[in-house]
Amino acid sequence: MNKPIAADNKPIAVLLNKDDYYYFCTCGRSNNQPFCDGSHKDTSLKPMKFQAESDKKVYLCACKHSSKLPFCDGTHKQFSLEDVGK
């Protein structure tokens, strides 16, 4: 599998802590969205490590197709509920 699964068709709001590192799920299979839980093991996709620049609420991509990963850029609008999980 080289393409991610759309985990949802809307972003996920999360609170990040300044200087903490996070592992963003890029495959869409994680049960801990939007973060990695190791479900990518059978894919060629790897989690995206990123560091929070400040303490703040952000919207992380759940469709896994944003051009600004791990952040939402509105790409999820092209996915319907029927696309989620595919």
Side-chain angles (χ1 to χ4, degrees):
M1 178 180 118
N2 293 319
K3 293 185 179 184
I5 294 169
D8 205 340
N9 67 343
K10 60 187 174 300
I12 300 171
V14 296
L15 295 173
L16 301 180
N17 297 311
K18 184 180 188 318
D19 297 329
D20 283 358
Y21 286 96
Y22 297 89
Y23 289 87
F24 174 77
C25 168
T26 62
C27 71
R29 293 179 172 194
S30 175
N31 289 315
N32 189 33
Q33 291 294 332
F35 302 111
C36 178
D37 69 357
S39 295
H40 63 275
K41 285 185 262 185
D42 296 329
T43 75
S44 61
L45 300 170
K46 304 290 181 215
M48 175 185 286
K49 182 180 178 181
F50 72 99
Q51 186 176 25
E53 296 176 0
S54 61
D55 292 332
K56 65 180 175 180
K57 180 180 180 180
V58 298
Y59 291 88
L60 297 183
C61 175
C63 76
K64 310 304 176 183
H65 290 81
S66 172
S67 63
K68 297 182 180 186
L69 290 178
F71 304 101
C72 175
D73 71 354
T75 301
H76 63 273
K77 294 174 187 172
Q78 72 184 19
F79 295 97
S80 68
L81 281 177
E82 291 79 30
D83 296 321
V84 173
K86 298 179 183 172

